[in-house]
Structure formats: structure tokens, C-alpha cells
Amino acid sequence: MSRTTPQPPRRRRAALAAALAVAAPLVLAACGGDDTAASSEDESWEPDRDIEWIVPYTPGGGFDTYSRGIAEVMQAGHLPDGVNIVVRNSPPLPQGIASMFNADPDGYTIGILPMPAAIAQEIQEPDLAQWTTSEFTVLGQVDENGYVVYVPADSEFETIEDLIAAQDIRAITVEEGSSSALAGLATIQALELDADVTYGAEGSAEVVTAALRGDADFFVYGSTDLVGFVESGDIRPLMYLGTEDQLPDSVEWLQDVPTAEEAGFPELAGAVTELRVIVAPPDLPEPVAEYLRTALAETMADEEFVTWAEEAGRPIVPRTAEETEAAIADQITQMEELVPQLADG
Amino acid sequence: MDFGSGLLEALQQMTTWSFLLWFFIGVLNGTIFGLLPGLSGSVGIALMIPFTFDMEPMQAMGLFVAALAGQNFAGSITAILINTPGSSVNAATTYDGYPLSRQGRGGFAIGVSAMASFLGSLIGIAIIIALFPLTRSILLSFSFPELTMLGVLGLAVIAVASRGSMIKGLIAGMVGLLISFVGFAPIGGDVRYVFGQAELYDGIGAVIVLIGLFAVTEALSLIVHNQKVATDARTSRLGRSQVWEGARYVFTKPFLLVRSSVLGTGIGLIPAVGGTLAAFLAYFQAAKTVRDPKFGQGDPRGVLAPEAANDAKDAGAALPSLAFGIPGSADWAIVLGAMIMHGITPGPNLIRDQPDIVWMSILVIIGASFVSSSFGIVFAPWLTKVTKVRASLLAPLIIVLAVTGAYGLESRTTDVLFAIGFGLLGYAMRAIGMPVIPLILGLVLGPMVERSYLQSVETFGGLSAFVSRPISLVLVILTVAVIVFEIVSIRRAKVSAEAKVEGVRSATRPFTLAVIGGLGVVAAGSLILATDFREQSRTFPVIISTIMLALVLLYLAVAAVPVLRRRFGGVIADGPGMEQMMHLPEGVLDHVDEPGAADGDDGTQPARQVATKVETTTAPAEAVDEEATRADVATRMRNAIILLVAFAAGVWLVGLAITVPVVLFLLMRYVGRESWRSSAIVTVVTSAALYVLFVSVLRMPLEGGLLLPF
């Protein structure tokens, strides 16, 4: 919907003067440039202005962190000089996804798509979901985040069996239709837990505090989102819901956590795994898609990005566009089966 | 590295030139973003994140925390000088800060605010250092029922505080709550009151409403009456001595300062409860506890209390963030996110693993607050000159800057339309003596109250948790006590029969009844629409629109039925507290008296004339002059309102880039009556400056309009 100006104006000096007064970081923004030669007539394509990157969540969360990490390395070394990636946070989820889907397919609007939340919303709330998940132009994937069942450290539940045996227990989660709420519901269903769910927490911090003060007995959240609280011994992981090959090596404490397969629930393993997928609107011209896919793949393989991810404690599981498309197709099939069941249960 | 040696480590790393440079850039960023209406400090912080990628984590964190701590005071400057809070945390400061400016005491108010802000954050930091070991138990004692009741208490306080027009205050609060329902329901999955507009899914931002209700309304009022902000400033000096007087004043009220700071810190400790509530609670505890209050008429204690509280609240919010990894505020959420990007893991272990980061943050909060307050004290004499700028120049600039700021937030045309729409609503509300502040508080607290209420019921299986948990019970009792106390004191207050008759008369003017009736229609509409929502999404809209509808019907019934009016007229009568809420010091309205001579292009206009007629203490002046002034004001008002509507339409049709210069020029020329030459010069310079700032530096994408897509 929003269209950027064709070319930043040549007001360099004035901009610099004003910017110095504001703040040096902003100067860098002004210095980012223009003057890129227009693309030639042949099949190849190159961006000649900034690319907008939509994050359908508020700043500070996982999707935002990954996006900014990629954007930084990508514009530094994998895009023409002066072309920047402008990260735009556009919550709430349905609106963010819709604006990715409905933008002009010109390569200047891309975004990070949470799976399976996108397809689950599409099935659950067809009126709201102004998109068709399967039609996005897929550029690649940066991470897979397997879910984990956690309990507060002082909980009476030592193993997943204890939880299954318990009666009238309570879970807390974020908004309905999010990937982690789905993972929680799938867990409750597969394990046949006698549990009620309180929705509406705003992010991981609220989920953890609610559990710590005893307002919830357990919760299901991503494996990489709560590292600080696991390491401090405030919460304990009971079961890993991803598959064996989704286990990130970099997260040490996760290696000893029983997986759903080991615990005897193979159908739950990988049923809901959060994929962080980079997409463009449908019908993106092939040369444009090719250019962006290559730039993204190169960025995710870049030493600088890998180092950053390690330092930030953000495991990365990069996948090519074809692999990602296949994974998305799998999740769509899965969700078409799972979501109606959850709605019934 | 233990906690104590972390302090040395932090000091060592902080006393480098590069750290200090980033620290100052951070403070500047916070100050400037805090100052610009629309662009809040968190936008500034988020904008900086990409540029810190290659920086040392320590320096990057110094930059972020400095920006976070530097913003609160800056927002009070605009609240004081032009009645436009930089963000909602400064809204309470307008109550007394702006009247001070109108009396030519703006510098004094800035001095008070600067010193209160700095000392507030100092006291807050002292408190959180003492509370570090207790963080966990404090955090864990506030569950959903406590959060709900904190919000309800805030709403109760604000409603009863609109003394003299309590029922109007209540209605305004309900309007704010209704606006807060727009968009996604926090629980239940419905999208409410969006009318198919995708732009409304995320709700209507408090910042947009703030820009409209304060900046646009105030600018409109200034230019229509063609007044400088500082109306009676002829005698008093705006110099530096006034600023220092303000700074010294804070030391004469040590107990109020400490009370407000403790309150602010306490609110900050509780995640999800914002600084806006802290500032308002501090303001009203001040209003209820000090001797000889002149609140609303430029009492400096009304600046001291909220400003000390909202800076102390930032210190308070640092505790859960640093000691526990739970963001204490939206700004801290971004800073914690930035920490992760720099390989620092926030969480309960941060203090053990990296005490230097914790100490650095604490020192930077104090330092940034000191530096930004110093900026204020140093620059106040120049800043206050803005109150001496003639309205014909100042008001169009405020309108244009506010509207551009509204657009800059999300680059959405709808935000511009809302800002202008709320500006007109604010103007109508002011004309009928309905306070706007309860609306803001309802809007800000609405989502928190609704969400935690539903979570309470879900988690604890009913309403019993509200009275069975000790802290929640205390809050319930406090809420009831506040309401009872207020009702009793209203009953005891001796209002002369004459004043009461006058109050009832001003409360039953046709325009007042029309606006109230219009709000009743809105409430009824909301109620009807709410019946379609799913169960959990429905609860609050149904409750609130029913209450609002009942209040409106009560108001109209008392106004319309003579028997009721005689007996219960006091319920709706405008009281002595009303003018305060309207920010109209004595004398201002003298020039506005207008006996129905003008043509009504807009519904607001004729009624406004009636409105001002009653409130005015009619000045005996030469009849001819009076007549000319009246006609003049009427023309200005007509032109200003036409131009604002044209502004909205223009932005919608051809986009901001074309509309802003045109409207700016027309406002100056035809409402402000500036000369062709100065209108043209100011328009060109302002448009160029806005372009550089927003398009070149902030990279705001310009959108065309309906007719002119580009």
C-alpha cells in the first residue's frame, strides 16, 4: 500500500547538517544512498532503492531480532551500495501478514512470515486472514524453532508423565492462533492432558512470570526464546516437541531434554515447529525472486551473520527456497488436519 | 565478577571518550524524539538499533539506556509551553504546566520539571538499588487481579478528579475506553469496531489521539483567538532567573517530591503498568494532600508531582528489566531485545554474569536524566520564547508539525485523518466543558484492564480472586474509598444557589446537549455492534457502552425534565473545576463573546458562540470594538475549521507532500492574517525543514493520495 519515493533527494548536505543535530546514527541513514545505476534491459534485476522488510510483531522479539540481524549483514555486503533494508514492525499478526501479501510484487517489499501461525490463522479466521499462505513467493528460511513444554522450577511435576497424570491443571499462552498457542493445544490433545488454557499474555516475559507466580502449571514455548530463564534455573524443560534433526546443537541444555519421540508421542514430534520464513508477495517476477533468494542465501552463509547469531544466542537453520517451500507445504497439510481437530476439542 | 566490583568495571568502561560520545548522542536522541509530538522515544531507540551492530555491547547499551532515560523530561517541555505532551506520560503535566506558561511563567515550570525529573530519577534509582534482593517477590505478587484493579483505580481517580463536571468526566473516560476497543480484542479473537478498515486492526494509537486532542485543539484555539501562549507576560521576564527559581522551588517541597517519586517507582516496578498512570496518580495524590491547592490554575506542585513520578517510574521499570529480564515498559522491551542482538542474555542471571552492564545502566539512567534536565535548564530561556511567538505563526506550525508527526509514526494516511478528527472532537469537548484527560486515560488503561480482567476470570475461575488476594483487596478498598470520599466532599461543598443555577444553565446549552446526545448515539451503536462479538470479546464493550449510554440518558433526562432539573441539577451542573479542565484562564474568553452574528459552516461554530457566552465574565468594553472583535473571531474560526477539514480531505486525496505547504500557507494567510511575504517564506522554510527531517533523515515514505498515486 505504501509506496516509497522513487529516489532520495539530493539534499545530502542539508540532510547531514540536520542529522548531525539529531543524532549520529541517523546520519548514517541519511548517508545511505542513491545513485545506483538502473537495472539493464536484460533478464537480471537489481534493486535501486531501499527494500522494506515487514515484521508482523513489535520490536524486540525473536522475529524482529532475526530480521534486523539479516538486514544488517545483507545491506552491508549483499546488496548494491546504498540500497538498505528498512525493517518495519507492523503488528498485529494478521495485518502484518496481509501487508506482506498484498504489497506490489516488485521486490521492494519482503517480510518474515511465522509458520504455522500464518496457515493456522488462515484456516481459523478466514474473514481476517487476507492472504493465501501457499501463494507467497518463498525466498528462504532462517530458523526452525522447536517447542518445549516447561514448568516452573519449583513445580511438583518432574517428568512429562507427572504432567499427564495430573488433574485440573492450567496453562498460559499468548494470543489465540499464534504458533505457540497451537503447539500448546496440540500438546494438550496428544497427551490428553486435563488442562485449561489462559490466553492473552503479551510475549514470553508475561508467560514466564505468570508461571513463576503460580498462575499456570505449565506452558509451551519456543526452545530459543527463554534461554536466560532456563539457565538461571527458574524454569525446567520437560519435553522437546521438535524432531531429532530440529534440535539446535548450540543450545546445550536442550540436548538432555526428552523428545516427544522418546516419550512415546511420535505423532507430536515436529507437528508444530515454528519456521521463520522470508517471503515476498505472490507472483514476484522470476529474475527478482532469483536475485533476492541468492542475496538471502549468501547473507545467511556469511561469516559475519553466523558469528552474530552465535553471539546473540540465536541458532540459525537456513534453508533454500525449495526446501522451505516443501516444509511449508507439509505444514499446510498438517494444519488442515490439526486445526479443525483442535477447534473441536 | 561480583556485584560490587561490577561497579568499578562499569566505571572503567564508561570513562572513555567513545562511551561518553555515545552517551551524549543517546541523550540527544531521547530528548529530540521526546520533544517531537508523535515520535516517541521508543521510535528513536528502535531507529538506532541497526547502527549499533558493530559497536561494543557496553557502548551500544549505554546509547540505548541514555535515549530511554533522556526522553521523559523533554516531553514535559512541549506539555508546558504549547499544551502538547511529548507522549502520554507527560499529559498530566499540562494541567498546571500550561496555565503557568499562559501566565508567562513557562521558564519557571520548566525549571520545576527539570529538577523534579532529575531528582525523581535519582530517588527512583536509590529505591531500586535497595530493592534489588526483593525483585522476585515484588514481581510475583502482582497477578492479573492486581493489574486489573490498578487500572480500575486509575480510572476511578481520573473520573472523580473531573470535579464540577464529574458526569462529563465519566462520559469522556467511557469514550476513551470505547476507542481502546477498536482493533483486535486482547482475548477472544474478535476484531472490533474496524468497519472493514485494515488500518484499524491494530487499534487507534494513544499518540494519535494525543496529537489531535492536545496539539491540534490547542493550536486551533490559539489561532482563532489570535493569542500568544503567554497572554499576561508583558510584565514578567522570561529570563534565566525564572528557570532557576523553578529548580530551587523543588527543594522547598521535599515531602511531595519523595511521595511522588516513591509512587512513580512503585508503579514502574510492575510490568505492563505505564508511566501515564504513575504521573496521574502522583498528580492526584498531590492535589488531595497538599495544603492550599490551586491545582489547574498553574500550581507548580502540579508540575512537580507528575514529572518526578514519571522519571522515577523509568528507574522503577529498570528493576524488573535488569534484575529479572522482564521488560518493565515498552521502551525496556526494545532495549532488552537490543541486548540479545549484542549477545547479552537478559534474565535473572544477568546480574551474576554481567553486573557491569547492570551498573552501567543504573549510572546511565542517572547521568542521562541529569544531562537532559540540564539541557532543559540551559535552553529554557530560549525555548520559552515560543510562548511569545504570535499565534498566526505558531499555531499553523504546531498543526503542521503535529500532523506530520502523526503520519511519521506509521506512514499511514489514516493516522493524519484521525489526528485532525480528534482535534475537532477535542475542540467540541472543550466548548462544552468536557475534560479530555479522562479520555486519554481510558484509552491508555483500557487494554490493560480488559485483558487482565479476562485473564483473572479465566485463571481464577471467577470474581472471587479480586477480594481473596490481599493486594487486590487493598486496591478494591482504595477504589471504593476514592469514590465515596469524592461523593461525600461534593455533598459537603457549599455551592451557592446562584452558582448552581448558573452551572445548570451552562450545562444545558443546546450545543452541549447535542454533543452529549451524539455520544449517546455512539454508545448505543457500540452496544448494538457488540452483541455480535464472541463471548470474551463482548464482555467489556457491552459493560462500557451500557454505562456510557446510561450516563448520557441520565444527563439528558436531568437537563430536559424540569422536576429532575430542580432536584438533581447538581449532578450535571458545571462546577468551578470546569474552567481548569478547559485550560482557559480568566480573561481569555473575554474576547470571544459572540452573540450569534456569524454564519454556521460547521456545527461547532454557532454552539461555540453560545458556549463562550455563558462562561464569560463579560468585560465592559467599547461596544464597537467588541463587535469588530467578535466578527473577526468568528471569521477566523470558520476559516480555521474549513482549512482543517480541507487538510484532512487533501491528505486523503492528493497526499501529505502537497497538502502540508498549501494548508500551512492558507492558515497563516487567511486565519493568522500574516502578510503574503512572511506566509510564503515561513511555508517554504518549514516545508523544506520537514522534508529534510522526515523524508531524507528519517526515511519516511511519502504516500500519494487517492487522486494522485505515486
Side-chain angles (χ1 to χ4, degrees):
Chain A
M1 277 191 305
S2 66
R3 293 165 183 85
T4 40
T5 37
Q7 279 278 322
R10 291 171 196 278
R11 229 188 267 271
R12 209 69 324 149
R13 204 171 297 155
L16 261 172
L20 273 172
V22 175
L26 300 177
V27 178
L28 299 175
C31 292
D34 47 348
D35 303 298
T36 321
S39 57
S40 48
E41 304 256 313
D42 61 46
E43 281 296 285
S44 74
W45 179 85
E46 218 180 65
D48 57 6
R49 54 186 160 92
D50 289 353
I51 296 173
E52 189 174 58
W53 175 302
I54 294 171
V55 179
Y57 293 102
T58 49
F63 280 88
D64 183 62
T65 308
Y66 278 105
S67 299
R68 290 178 193 274
I70 295 174
E72 191 56 38
V73 177
M74 197 156 160
Q75 70 194 19
H78 304 280
L79 291 177
D81 278 351
V83 173
N84 291 311
I85 296 207
V86 181
V87 174
R88 190 160 75 85
N89 299 89
S90 177
L93 193 57
Q95 198 197 335
I97 298 179
S99 60
M100 281 180 227
F101 187 82
N102 297 318
D104 290 339
D106 57 4
Y108 293 106
T109 310
I110 58 178
I112 190 161
L113 185 75
M115 287 292 295
I119 178 66
Q121 295 245 336
E122 191 189 318
I123 300 169
Q124 277 182 322
E125 305 277 353
D127 297 346
L128 283 183
Q130 305 290 322
W131 67 84
T132 313
T133 310
S134 58
E135 288 177 11
F136 274 110
T137 308
V138 176
L139 302 178
Q141 173 198 300
V142 59
D143 180 46
E144 294 176 2
N145 190 7
Y147 283 95
V148 174
V149 180
Y150 298 95
V151 292
D154 58 3
S155 164
E156 53 180 308
F157 308 121
E158 294 294 332
T159 62
I160 196 74
E161 284 76 27
D162 295 346
L163 203 65
I164 295 170
Q167 292 193 334
D168 194 19
I169 49 176
R170 174 154 294 285
I172 176 117
T173 189
V174 289
E175 79 271 12
E176 281 167 86
S178 62
S179 302
S180 36
L182 278 171
L185 280 177
T187 308
I188 291 174
Q189 200 196 36
L191 273 55
E192 295 178 353
L193 300 177
D194 177 20
D196 280 326
V197 184
T198 299
Y199 290 96
E202 286 195 304
S204 57
E206 244 187 74
V207 169
V208 172
T209 19
L212 289 183
R213 65 185 178 227
D215 293 344
D217 301 296
F218 75 100
F219 60 96
V220 173
Y221 220 87
S223 60
T224 55
D225 300 305
L226 300 170
V227 177
F229 291 96
V230 176
E231 285 176 354
S232 70
D234 281 287
I235 56 173
R236 281 189 281 121
L238 287 191
M239 185 167 80
Y240 178 65
L241 299 175
T243 58
E244 294 282 355
D245 63 298
Q246 285 170 341
L247 255 177
D249 297 330
S250 56
V251 185
E252 274 172 37
W253 55 266
L254 199 54
Q255 310 304 321
D256 304 328
V257 178
T259 63
E261 277 157 3
E262 291 164 3
F265 303 98
E267 76 284 3
L268 187 57
V272 186
T273 289
E274 186 169 53
L275 309 180
R276 305 182 200 263
V277 178
I278 292 94
V279 297
D283 305 323
L284 189 68
E286 197 45 41
V288 182
E290 205 39 55
Y291 178 91
L292 292 172
R293 281 173 185 149
T294 312
L296 180 68
E298 284 173 7
T299 304
M300 292 192 296
D302 192 316
E303 195 56 39
E304 198 187 344
F305 181 68
V306 175
T307 320
W308 168 81
E310 263 168 39
E311 279 177 6
R314 287 291 179 180
I316 50 173
V317 186
R319 300 248 192 253
T320 64
E322 293 87 64
E323 289 167 343
T324 313
E325 269 170 11
I328 291 178
D330 279 354
Q331 281 202 336
I332 292 179
T333 324
Q334 248 171 17
M335 285 298 140
E336 276 166 355
E337 200 175 315
L338 186 65
V339 172
Q341 283 176 23
L342 295 178
D344 297 340
Chain B
M1 177 159 46
D2 62 38
F3 192 46
S5 64
L7 174 59
L8 292 179
E9 179 84 5
L11 278 173
Q12 238 164 36
Q13 295 192 49
M14 288 171 69
T15 44
T16 58
W17 284 113
S18 57
F19 184 91
L20 290 176
L21 174 71
W22 290 117
F23 167 77
F24 273 104
I25 289 172
V27 179
L28 256 181
N29 178 300
T31 307
I32 287 167
F33 278 89
L35 205 59
L36 291 173
L39 296 173
S40 70
S42 51
V43 175
I45 298 171
L47 270 175
M48 290 192 301
I49 292 177
F51 304 105
T52 62
F53 201 70
D54 296 324
M55 284 165 60
E56 293 282 308
M58 190 75 162
Q59 303 193 344
M61 288 310 118
L63 174 69
F64 291 136
V65 178
L68 177 147
Q71 56 176 293
N72 270 351
F73 163 67
S76 78
I77 295 179
T78 43
I80 290 167
L81 296 180
I82 53 175
N83 199 21
T84 301
S87 68
S88 58
V89 297
N90 306 106
T93 308
T94 58
Y95 272 142
D96 283 285
Y98 188 62
L100 278 168
S101 277
R102 301 221 67 164
Q103 293 154 21
R105 306 272 291 155
F108 174 74
I110 291 178
V112 173
S113 168
M115 189 54 84
S117 292
F118 170 60
L119 293 177
S121 100
L122 203 61
I123 294 171
I125 289 292
I127 297 173
I128 68 160
I129 291 178
L131 289 181
F132 245 108
L134 299 175
T135 315
R136 173 181 289 266
S137 48
I138 294 172
L139 259 183
L140 298 186
S141 51
F142 281 84
S143 181
F144 307 125
E146 286 79 16
L147 291 176
T148 314
M149 284 317 300
L150 263 177
V152 172
L153 174 64
L155 291 172
V157 163
I158 197 70
V160 302
S162 338
R163 216 187 332 216
S165 51
M166 198 208 249
I167 188 164
K168 284 185 195 148
L170 283 170
I171 294 175
M174 298 296 148
V175 174
L177 285 166
L178 279 187
I179 297 171
S180 84
F181 297 146
V182 173
F184 271 91
I187 299 178
D190 267 308
V191 194
R192 302 178 297 192
Y193 306 125
V194 296
F195 307 104
Q197 303 298 307
E199 286 85 356
L200 288 176
Y201 279 22
D202 201 19
I204 298 174
V207 179
I208 301 298
V209 178
L210 216 56
I211 288 174
L213 286 186
F214 284 92
V216 176
T217 304
E218 186 59 40
L220 202 55
S221 164
L222 283 177
I223 195 168
V224 165
H225 304 143
N226 195 24
Q227 281 177 335
K228 294 169 189 172
V229 171
T231 36
D232 23 347
R234 265 152 288 156
T235 48
S236 57
R237 295 178 303 126
L238 292 179
R240 196 169 298 282
S241 63
Q242 207 194 81
V243 182
W244 281 112
E245 190 195 335
R248 278 196 307 273
Y249 176 84
V250 177
F251 290 97
T252 66
K253 306 282 174 238
F255 296 110
L256 180 64
L257 175 72
V258 170
R259 277 205 309 272
S260 308
S261 306
V262 170
L263 187 71
T265 314
I267 297 283
L269 288 176
I270 308 161
V273 185
T276 312
L277 183 62
F280 277 106
L281 288 182
Y283 182 86
F284 291 109
Q285 64 85 23
K288 292 293 167 202
T289 54
V290 302
R291 256 176 296 175
D292 188 22
K294 287 206 182 74
F295 284 89
Q297 296 153 16
D299 191 321
R301 291 169 295 192
V303 175
L304 193 164
E307 283 304 317
N310 71 28
D311 272 76
K313 167 248 152 202
D314 265 354
L319 187 63
S321 316
L322 292 172
F324 215 61
I326 302 285
S329 64
D331 295 343
W332 273 105
I334 298 176
V335 174
L336 293 189
M339 277 192 187
I340 294 171
M341 281 194 63
H342 282 274
I344 303 165
T345 311
N349 283 352
L350 183 66
I351 192 144
R352 191 192 67 205
D353 299 341
Q354 285 174 301
D356 51 334
I357 293 279
V358 175
W359 276 114
M360 181 276 293
S361 305
I362 288 175
L363 295 172
V364 165
I365 291 174
I366 300 176
S369 167
F370 178 76
V371 172
S372 86
S373 290
S374 306
F375 282 157
I377 289 182
V378 171
F379 293 111
W382 288 288
L383 290 171
T384 45
K385 292 210 167 83
V386 93
T387 60
K388 294 213 146 194
V389 174
R390 49 181 195 274
S392 50
L393 288 177
L394 182 65
L397 289 178
I398 293 178
I399 292 179
V400 162
L401 190 63
V403 169
T404 317
Y407 180 78
L409 207 61
E410 295 273 350
S411 308
R412 281 196 308 223
T413 302
T414 39
D415 286 344
V416 173
L417 304 185
F418 274 121
I420 294 174
F422 278 106
L424 293 172
L425 174 70
Y427 203 64
M429 285 172 72
R430 196 188 270 214
I432 67 164
M434 181 180 273
V436 297
I437 301 245
L439 192 158
I440 295 288
L441 214 67
L443 176 63
V444 170
L445 294 180
M448 180 184 98
V449 174
E450 182 178 16
R451 178 195 305 270
S452 17
Y453 171 81
L454 293 171
Q455 284 170 325
S456 303
V457 172
E458 189 67 35
T459 304
F460 299 98
L463 298 173
S464 58
F466 289 105
V467 288
S468 62
R469 302 171 57 95
I471 297 181
S472 172
L473 179 64
V474 169
L475 291 168
V476 170
I477 294 172
L478 217 55
T479 306
V480 174
V482 163
I483 295 170
V484 171
F485 175 82
E486 197 60 31
I487 290 175
V488 170
S489 65
I490 287 179
R491 292 208 144 197
R492 285 208 187 139
K494 290 190 183 72
V495 183
S496 68
E498 203 176 304
K500 195 176 157 188
V501 169
E502 183 62 23
V504 172
R505 202 158 59 89
S506 94
T508 52
R509 297 182 312 247
F511 180 61
T512 307
L513 298 182
V515 171
I516 303 260
L519 292 175
V521 172
V522 170
S526 312
L527 187 58
I528 292 166
L529 289 174
T531 51
D532 280 345
F533 301 151
R534 281 169 244 186
E535 195 189 335
Q536 284 182 311
S537 315
R538 189 170 53 205
T539 315
F540 260 62
V542 168
I543 296 176
I544 297 304
S545 36
T546 309
I547 297 178
M548 182 166 153
L549 193 58
L551 288 169
V552 167
L553 292 177
L554 173 72
Y555 193 105
L556 295 180
V558 173
V561 183
V563 184
L564 292 176
R565 196 198 300 210
R566 266 195 306 280
R567 281 212 58 178
F568 303 109
V571 175
I572 60 166
D574 289 331
M578 207 191 77
E579 281 84 0
Q580 310 171 9
M581 299 297 176
M582 297 167 71
H583 293 305
L584 295 172
E586 298 117 81
V588 173
L589 281 168
D590 292 359
H591 314 285
V592 207
D593 204 7
E594 165 81 25
D599 44 354
D601 287 279
D602 188 287
T604 321
Q605 195 195 332
R608 168 76 195 170
Q609 294 147 12
V610 184
T612 50
K613 188 178 171 185
V614 183
E615 288 144 17
T616 309
T617 50
T618 316
E622 287 177 55
V624 186
D625 263 13
E626 280 289 289
E627 199 63 33
T629 321
R630 282 171 200 155
D632 187 45
V633 168
T635 320
R636 283 168 189 276
M637 173 136 43
R638 190 191 60 207
N639 290 351
I641 288 172
I642 291 174
L643 276 175
L644 270 193
V645 173
F647 200 163
V651 171
W652 185 53
L653 292 173
V654 294
L656 206 61
I658 297 174
T659 316
V660 163
V662 173
V663 172
L664 180 60
F665 181 80
L666 294 176
L667 270 174
M668 273 188 289
R669 183 75 190 91
Y670 292 105
V671 185
R673 312 267 164 74
E674 285 290 322
S675 69
W676 283 100
R677 212 179 65 164
S678 56
S679 301
I681 292 174
V682 175
T683 303
V684 169
V685 171
T686 312
S687 307
L690 286 175
Y691 192 88
V692 168
L693 178 62
F694 283 97
V695 181
S696 304
V697 181
L698 298 179
R699 309 224 133 198
M700 184 175 86
L702 274 178
E703 223 173 289
L706 204 63
L707 300 178
L708 202 72
F710 62 81

